[in-house]
Amino acid sequence: MKRREFLTWVGIGGLATYLPVALAACSPQKTELPLTVSATNSEGYQSIGTLDQLTEKGQLLSKELAIGSVLVIQKPDNPQEVIAVNPSCPHAGCSVNWKADQNAFICPCHDSKFAADGQLLEGPAEEPLKRYEAKLEGKTILVKAG
């Protein structure tokens, strides 16, 4: 094989290697919102699911609201009311989970514990979870988006 042929094949190989990457980077991206999130209503609330879904799962997490991620639970002493919090632990940013048997949000990273209303029960976190305004309208769960 001559030097010229070798360089031609190396060039073609390099082009063939990077062409798919270049095409993927230039193609338009499709983004789809989950079906559980609806448009903001006139009062600034967004629907994130139904009471039936919440009862079935024990908690509803939505990452598609204008305010960011929201975790919704039923109020332990009144299942016809809902509580919405930011699920990011203020200590290290891990996502907390609702543990109904303990009536608390628990951080899986360092075991910080928060009450149903987001108040800090045990550290190492030093601040409560941020709470959002939430309500039921019929069986639809609405969270204030702004």
Side-chain angles (χ1 to χ4, degrees), residues 46-116:
Q46 270 186 298
S47 168
I48 66 156
T50 66
L51 188 57
D52 293 336
Q53 291 171 322
L54 179 57
T55 302
E56 179 184 326
K57 296 178 181 179
Q59 62 184 11
L60 284 180
L61 175 66
S62 175
K63 297 180 180 183
E64 303 298 329
L65 291 174
I67 53 177
S69 294
V70 174
L71 183 63
V72 178
I73 62 162
Q74 288 176 294
K75 202 170 183 183
D77 59 349
N78 184 358
Q80 294 303 310
E81 291 183 35
V82 292
I83 297 171
V85 299
N86 182 323
S88 296
C89 179
H91 173 248
C94 299
S95 288
V96 299
N97 291 306
W98 175 247
K99 301 292 183 185
D101 60 332
Q102 297 180 45
N103 264 355
F105 293 103
I106 307 293
C107 178
C109 294
H110 302 106
D111 293 323
S112 289
K113 189 174 185 180
F114 305 88

Side-chain angles (χ1 to χ4, degrees), residues 28-48:
Q29 301 293 320
K30 261 179 93 172
T31 56
E32 296 179 24
L33 291 176
L35 297 176
T36 55
V37 177
S38 69
T40 305
N41 73 12
S42 62
E43 297 173 343
Y45 285 90
Q46 270 186 298
S47 168
I48 66 156

Side-chain angles (χ1 to χ4, degrees), residues 14-25:
L15 224 124
T17 302
Y18 292 106
L19 186 61
V21 174
L23 289 174

